[in-house]
């Protein structure tokens, strides 16, 4: 399998290079050049596989230049014996009612779904890097672990420096993934006053010899703009390359992040077959809380690979650019950015939509380039009728307001004693609207993207406020969540609901702070240099 750009500027790129580059040289996104298709016989065979074997089976079809041994190494590190997930099944599916099941994607090291991909991407990169360094030595049976040999000649010695600006979840998941990855350093910038207390602690206590975290004096946009400026600065990039560093990013447009996400849609489907909720071949709907359109795009790829999918239900919060697009064909980012209780979905530019439009328009690279140019220049674009109806034949979309999201958290707690985080609640609220509007009772899997304990303030508010309304509860029984710290709330929520706090979120307030550096937004380059050269720097 080789890859090409959605804008026509690159073709025949192998998986390794697509993963190391992240974005195509023409600014487009890498997509597979050929269809991957599993027929019903093969699906029946895949249905019996455990997660790791299933992942390897699917990866083999996409990672064309990886040997079986290399793929084995990647899946083992991400989901096998070396795995950081808290159970053997990294994506357990729980049946809530006759037609509705929930797939929990938050059993990894940072308690959010980004771990599903970011536990695999670093392994892909290490293998790819090793191939690039010693192309002649790569064959089945070589040590695929990408370990440094120490005596390699300098000319092969390009390392990868991952730079990421984060509003909270991605940076932490990337660091956990890249921690101690051979030949890769990672630097994360977060807005000094723009993350939750839990998220700040998660980042500042991060361990690993190849990692640096620095707070930026400014908001998320300042941090993001700073990182983009560094990527766009040719002379800085060249200077880094001379010192042996290729800059790269771990954000969700990298195909190496999409590929691991395809696997769990198959896994959810097969879980329903194995539990006899459906028979093989029955269509299933998926509901996906959507931000950058990565997660739901992976569901679309699974559908194209032959998974029996009914509808893909795209759920947005009040920043509903994508949902509005699916309903009208008009993508319009010229609107107010709203800060919500589902912050990982607060986004106005959904980059991965480019891949869907390219595919549905029959791989029309000219049209895709034009639309993306419109987006850059005008902040908006319009697709043709046939493209829109192509999208709407599979996708259905709507949004959930803040109040609806909170009400959904309490409803699911009251009705099922099942605790959901605000992102998952957005999905469940939109699913409700879907059923009311269409009457479609096809078996459905709702994707749960974060542990409720990662967003415990809004979850506690929703759960405790519904307790307030309950008969027999006196106001004195109900805590005043406003005046309680996030760490106290965490234990309170766990005691009240009887749900266990995920291990990675426990004891965070007692861990030593390893990264207390703060820099000005125009000094980020200096921080990068100081870190990569391991010079004395303000960040320590
Ligand atoms: C990133 C994220 C999302 C959105 O996923 P996309 O792939 O960007 O659409 C939803 N929920 C949580 C908790 C996330 O971290």
């Amino acid at each position: 399998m080789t890859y090409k750009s959605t804008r026509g500027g690159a073709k025949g790129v192998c998986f390794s290079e697509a993963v190391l580059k992240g974005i195509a040289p023409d600014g487009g996104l890498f997509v597979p050049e050929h269809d991957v298709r599993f027929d019903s016989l093969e699906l029946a065979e895949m249905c019996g596989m455990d997660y790791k074997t299933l992942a390897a089976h699917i990866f083999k079809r996409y990672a064309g230049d990886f040997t079986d041994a290399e793929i084995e190494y990647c899946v083992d590190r991400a989901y096998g014996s070396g795995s950081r997930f808290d159970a053997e099944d990294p994506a357990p599916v729980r049946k809530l009612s006759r037609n509705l099941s929930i797939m929990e994607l938050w059993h990894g090291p940072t308690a959010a779904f980004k771990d599903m991909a970011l536990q695999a991407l670093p392994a892909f990169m290490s293998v790819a890097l090793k191939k690039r360094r010693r192309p002649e030595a790569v064959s089945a049976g070589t040590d695929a672990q990408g370990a440094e040999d120490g005596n390699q000649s300098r000319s092969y010695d390009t390392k990868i420096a991952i730079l990421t600006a984060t509003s909270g979840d991605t940076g932490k998941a990337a660091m956990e993934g890249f921690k101690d990855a051979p030949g890769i350093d990672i630097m994360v910038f977060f807005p000094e006053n723009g993350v939750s207390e839990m998220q700040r602690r998660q980042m500042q206590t991060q361990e690993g010899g190849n990692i640096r975290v620095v707070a930026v004096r400014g908001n998320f946009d300042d941090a993001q703009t700073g990182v983009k400026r560094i990527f766009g600065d040719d002379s800085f990039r060249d200077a880094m390359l001379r010192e042996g560093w290729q800059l790269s990013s771990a954000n969700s447009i990298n195909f190496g992040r999409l590929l691991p996400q395809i696997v769990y849609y198959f896994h959810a489907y097969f879980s329903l077959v194995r539990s006899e909720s459906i028979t093989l071949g029955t269509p299933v709907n998926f509901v996906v809380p959507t931000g950058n359109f990565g997660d739901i795009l992976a569901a679309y790829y699974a559908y194209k690979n032959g998974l029996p999918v009914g509808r893909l239900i795209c759920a947005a919060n009040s920043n509903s650019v994508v949902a509005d697009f699916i309903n009208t064909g008009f993508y319009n980012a010229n609107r107010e950015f709203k800060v919500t209780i589902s912050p990982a979905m607060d986004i106005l530019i959904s980059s991965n939509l480019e891949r869907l439009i390219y595919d549905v328009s029959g791989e029309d690279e000219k049209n895709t380039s034009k639309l993306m140019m419109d987006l850059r220049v005008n902040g908006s674009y319009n697709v043709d009728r046939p493209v829109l109806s192509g999208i709407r034949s599979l996708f259905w979309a709507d949004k959930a307001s803040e109040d609806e999201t909170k009400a959904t958290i309490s409803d699911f707690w009251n009705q099922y004693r099942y605790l959901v985080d605000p992102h998952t609640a957005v999905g469940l609220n939109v699913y409700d609207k879907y059923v009311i509007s269409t009457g479609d009772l096809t078996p459905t899997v709702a994707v749960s993207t974060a542990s409720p304990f990662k967003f415990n303030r809004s979850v506690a508010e929703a759960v405790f406020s519904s307790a307030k309304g309950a008969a027999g509860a006196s106001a004195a029984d109900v805590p005043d969540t406003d005046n309680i710290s996030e760490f106290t709330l965490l234990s309170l929520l766990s005691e009240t609901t009887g749900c266990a706090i995920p291990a990675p979120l426990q004891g965070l307030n007692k861990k030593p702070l390893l990264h207390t550096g703060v820099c000005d937004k125009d000094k980020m380059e200096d921080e990068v240099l100081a870190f990569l050269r391991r010079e004395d720097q303000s960040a320590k």
Side-chain angles (χ1 to χ4, degrees):
M1 173 68 79
T2 49
Y3 292 80
K4 60 186 171 185
S5 166
T6 48
R7 303 192 193 168
K11 290 200 165 42
V13 177
C14 63
F15 179 73
S16 301
E17 281 306 304
V19 162
L20 289 177
K21 289 207 171 79
I23 188 161
D26 60 355
L29 307 187
F30 286 116
V31 289
E33 280 194 295
H34 309 283
D35 285 341
V36 170
R37 189 86 194 162
F38 303 109
D39 63 22
S40 49
L41 270 179
E42 200 169 358
L43 288 177
E45 193 187 318
M46 290 159 76
C47 190
M49 294 176 180
D50 63 13
Y51 197 91
K52 189 185 131 181
T53 314
L54 180 65
H57 191 84
I58 295 170
F59 289 179
K60 272 176 202 169
R61 301 287 280 273
Y62 280 97
D65 60 335
F66 277 33
T67 65
D68 287 359
E70 286 163 345
I71 285 178
E72 208 51 47
Y73 159 70
C74 294
V75 296
D76 195 54
R77 185 187 184 278
Y79 315 112
S81 53
S83 147
R84 309 265 322 274
F85 289 88
D86 66 9
E88 200 174 324
D89 181 352
V93 175
R94 319 227 180 260
K95 194 163 176 173
L96 283 196
S97 68
R98 217 159 80 92
N99 299 319
L100 179 65
S101 300
I102 297 210
M103 170 161 58
E104 296 175 351
L105 296 182
W106 39 261
H107 291 273
T110 75
F113 99 98
K114 305 266 187 315
D115 289 329
M116 297 302 297
L118 280 165
Q119 285 296 302
L121 179 68
F124 291 156
M125 281 191 170
S126 292
V127 171
L129 204 54
K130 183 159 182 171
K131 281 178 181 299
R132 181 193 267 179
R133 281 186 199 155
R134 292 190 303 174
E136 77 288 356
V138 174
S139 64
T142 51
D143 165 25
Q145 300 200 12
E148 289 291 275
D149 320 27
N151 57 0
Q152 249 163 34
S153 77
R154 180 77 194 164
S155 59
Y156 289 120
D157 208 15
T158 309
K159 296 190 190 175
I160 297 286
I162 306 269
L163 301 186
T164 301
T166 186
S167 59
D169 280 352
T170 303
K172 176 66 185 178
M175 290 190 285
E176 284 297 337
F178 283 102
K179 179 159 98 184
D180 300 325
I184 303 176
D185 275 3
I186 171 163
M187 180 143 198
V188 170
F189 293 98
F190 72 90
E192 188 183 17
N193 296 314
V195 298
S196 78
E197 190 50 33
M198 294 297 285
Q199 290 174 317
R200 167 191 300 278
R201 279 282 170 163
Q202 273 193 310
M203 286 191 277
Q204 292 189 326
T205 56
Q206 177 68 45
E207 293 161 8
N210 60 335
I211 290 172
R212 166 96 12 106
V213 182
V214 176
V216 176
R217 293 192 185 91
N219 58 25
F220 172 63
D221 262 349
D222 295 323
Q224 171 96 318
T225 306
V227 166
K228 283 192 177 155
R229 186 181 62 230
I230 296 174
F231 277 115
D233 181 343
D234 290 344
S235 63
F236 185 79
R237 271 213 326 263
D238 289 347
M240 292 278 53
L241 212 50
R242 280 195 299 277
E243 294 190 26
W245 292 99
Q246 182 187 343
L247 300 183
S248 187
S249 102
N251 69 22
S252 77
I253 55 176
N254 193 315
F255 195 83
R257 272 189 64 178
L258 276 177
L259 175 55
Q261 296 179 231
I262 298 173
V263 178
Y264 52 71
Y265 289 100
F266 282 91
H267 171 75
Y269 186 92
F270 295 143
S271 299
L272 293 188
V273 175
R274 288 194 300 259
S275 67
E276 297 182 355
S277 299
I278 57 167
T279 53
L280 196 63
T282 311
V284 163
N285 295 338
F286 289 97
V287 183
V288 188
T290 295
N292 208 20
F293 212 76
D295 203 358
I296 198 166
L297 184 73
Y300 175 71
Y301 280 120
Y303 159 79
K304 296 230 336 165
N305 295 166
L307 189 70
V309 171
R311 300 299 291 275
L312 295 178
I313 300 160
C314 172
N317 66 19
S318 21
N319 294 292
S320 59
V321 192
V322 179
D324 295 349
F325 166 73
I326 291 173
N327 287 317
T328 63
F330 181 48
Y331 190 98
N332 186 9
N334 300 310
R335 58 174 85 194
E336 187 197 343
F337 178 93
K338 296 184 180 136
V339 176
T340 72
I341 56 170
S342 46
M345 293 155 66
D346 291 346
I347 192 164
L348 294 181
I349 306 286
S350 287
S351 314
N352 271 304
L353 201 53
E354 178 171 349
R355 286 186 165 111
L356 178 70
I357 291 171
Y358 176 76
D359 201 77
V360 175
S361 67
E363 308 204 326
D364 185 340
E365 54 205 37
K366 280 216 185 70
N367 187 48
T368 308
S369 310
K370 183 195 163 293
L371 296 179
M372 294 307 130
M373 177 69 90
D374 289 350
L375 179 62
R376 204 168 57 236
V377 176
N378 307 317
S380 66
Y381 59 81
N382 238 313
V383 295
D384 300 339
R385 284 264 138 218
V387 176
L388 181 60
S389 50
I391 292 174
R392 287 171 60 93
S393 65
L394 183 66
F395 288 84
W396 193 94
D398 207 342
K399 61 182 170 184
S401 71
E402 295 288 273
D403 284 347
E404 288 171 332
T405 306
K406 289 178 198 160
T408 305
I409 298 173
S410 1
D411 287 351
F412 272 75
W413 175 247
N414 293 332
Q415 194 175 345
Y416 301 109
R417 284 289 178 255
Y418 187 78
L419 206 55
V420 295
D421 93 290
H423 303 79
T424 308
V426 166
L428 292 168
N429 178 266
V430 168
Y431 174 60
D432 207 34
K433 290 172 177 155
Y434 172 77
V435 172
I436 290 169
S437 143
T438 63
D440 179 11
L441 294 176
T442 300
T444 297
V445 175
V447 174
S448 176
T449 50
S451 157
F453 291 103
K454 216 173 164 176
F455 298 91
N456 57 67
R457 186 169 297 282
S458 0
V459 174
E461 273 166 21
V463 168
F464 294 143
S465 73
S466 71
K468 223 174 260 180
S474 75
D477 298 337
V478 180
D480 174 12
T481 48
D482 289 352
N483 295 315
I484 304 178
S485 86
E486 282 208 36
F487 292 103
T488 314
L489 266 185
L490 192 64
S491 354
L492 198 60
L493 187 61
S494 171
E495 282 158 22
T496 312
T497 60
C499 300
I501 303 169
L505 301 179
Q506 286 171 19
L508 263 185
N509 49 341
K510 301 196 182 72
K511 280 192 169 174
L513 294 180
L514 303 173
H515 306 271
T516 52
V518 185
C519 78
D520 287 328
K521 59 185 182 187
D522 55 356
K523 291 280 166 11
M524 290 164 62
E525 283 88 345
D526 300 346
E527 294 291 331
V528 173
L529 284 176
F531 169 52
L532 295 179
R533 292 172 177 161
R534 300 296 196 274
E535 291 168 354
D536 233 27
Q537 65 288 112
S538 64
K540 269 271 143 132

PDB file of all heavy atoms in Angstrom, residues 208 255 414 424 496:
ATOM      1  N   GLY A 208      10.127  10.837  31.795  1.00  0.00           N
ATOM      2  CA  GLY A 208      10.704  10.402  30.523  1.00  0.00           C
ATOM      3  C   GLY A 208      11.885  11.279  30.151  1.00  0.00           C
ATOM      4  O   GLY A 208      11.803  12.506  30.231  1.00  0.00           O
ATOM      5  N   PHE A 255      -1.557  10.038   9.130  1.00  0.00           N
ATOM      6  CA  PHE A 255      -2.279   8.788   8.838  1.00  0.00           C
ATOM      7  C   PHE A 255      -1.971   7.713   9.882  1.00  0.00           C
ATOM      8  O   PHE A 255      -2.790   6.843  10.151  1.00  0.00           O
ATOM      9  CB  PHE A 255      -1.995   8.271   7.418  1.00  0.00           C
ATOM     10  CG  PHE A 255      -2.985   7.220   7.006  1.00  0.00           C
ATOM     11  CD1 PHE A 255      -4.221   7.576   6.490  1.00  0.00           C
ATOM     12  CD2 PHE A 255      -2.718   5.867   7.203  1.00  0.00           C
ATOM     13  CE1 PHE A 255      -5.172   6.608   6.177  1.00  0.00           C
ATOM     14  CE2 PHE A 255      -3.666   4.892   6.886  1.00  0.00           C
ATOM     15  CZ  PHE A 255      -4.890   5.267   6.374  1.00  0.00           C
ATOM     16  N   ASN A 414     -28.893   8.346  36.270  1.00  0.00           N
ATOM     17  CA  ASN A 414     -30.143   7.961  36.941  1.00  0.00           C
ATOM     18  C   ASN A 414     -30.758   6.707  36.344  1.00  0.00           C
ATOM     19  O   ASN A 414     -31.233   5.838  37.064  1.00  0.00           O
ATOM     20  CB  ASN A 414     -31.151   9.114  36.890  1.00  0.00           C
ATOM     21  CG  ASN A 414     -30.663  10.288  37.728  1.00  0.00           C
ATOM     22  OD1 ASN A 414     -29.922  10.095  38.695  1.00  0.00           O
ATOM     23  ND2 ASN A 414     -31.036  11.502  37.347  1.00  0.00           N
ATOM     24  N   THR A 424     -18.739  12.220  25.715  1.00  0.00           N
ATOM     25  CA  THR A 424     -19.598  11.064  25.456  1.00  0.00           C
ATOM     26  C   THR A 424     -21.065  11.472  25.546  1.00  0.00           C
ATOM     27  O   THR A 424     -21.898  11.018  24.751  1.00  0.00           O
ATOM     28  CB  THR A 424     -19.286   9.961  26.484  1.00  0.00           C
ATOM     29  OG1 THR A 424     -17.861   9.737  26.466  1.00  0.00           O
ATOM     30  CG2 THR A 424     -20.013   8.670  26.164  1.00  0.00           C
ATOM     31  N   THR A 496     -19.337   8.807  45.852  1.00  0.00           N
ATOM     32  CA  THR A 496     -20.783   8.919  45.654  1.00  0.00           C
ATOM     33  C   THR A 496     -21.302   7.903  44.656  1.00  0.00           C
ATOM     34  O   THR A 496     -22.379   7.341  44.825  1.00  0.00           O
ATOM     35  CB  THR A 496     -21.142  10.335  45.153  1.00  0.00           C
ATOM     36  OG1 THR A 496     -20.476  11.271  45.977  1.00  0.00           O
ATOM     37  CG2 THR A 496     -22.638  10.578  45.198  1.00  0.00           C
TER      38      THR A 496
END
